[in-house]
Amino acid sequence: MIPIEAVVGLGLLIFTVGLAGVLVRKNLVVMLMSLELLLNGVNIILAGLGRHLKSPRGSIFALFVIIIAVSEAAVGFALVLAYFRHKKSYDTDVLSDLKG
């Protein structure tokens, strides 16, 4: 059996990589993919804790996070595609044009 410390460490590592991607990158598509990494890191921790505690709650919460991630990805990529068709750029520096 995999120790819980390894599962939590892996989840935190994936979460950290996703957080760094969201904060550092300027491409909207890469930011959305990094946001998915954030949510997947949380899923790993939830599923690992659920297995460690011998409770289905962790898997159930992870399933809800997956549903939220799919919804966020669908809406986010649709918005990015509409923005790209209008501005011909994925760069976040030109997002200030949307203010008014």
Side-chain angles (χ1 to χ4, degrees):
M1 186 159 174
I2 300 173
I4 191 65
E5 294 84 10
V7 174
V8 172
L10 176 66
L12 287 175
L13 178 69
I14 292 175
F15 185 87
T16 305
V17 169
L19 183 64
V22 169
L23 295 176
V24 172
R25 304 297 286 192
K26 293 189 181 229
N27 187 332
L28 289 172
V29 175
V30 174
M31 288 176 73
L32 283 173
M33 290 189 303
S34 297
L35 196 61
E36 293 296 322
L37 274 177
L38 283 169
L39 295 173
N40 285 331
V42 172
N43 280 340
I44 290 172
I45 293 172
L46 287 173
L49 287 176
R51 183 171 174 121
H52 178 72
L53 298 174
K54 295 176 179 50
S55 170
R57 290 181 185 159
S59 298
I60 292 170
F61 282 132
L63 183 64
F64 283 126
V65 172
I66 289 171
I67 292 169
I68 291 169
V70 168
S71 303
E72 171 263 328
V75 171
F77 281 119
L79 289 172
V80 167
L81 183 62
Y83 180 74
F84 178 75
R85 286 182 180 171
H86 183 66
K87 292 291 183 182
K88 304 290 186 220
S89 174
Y90 290 119
D91 195 15
T92 57
D93 290 336
V94 291
L95 280 175
S96 63
D97 296 346
L98 298 175
K99 288 184 181 174

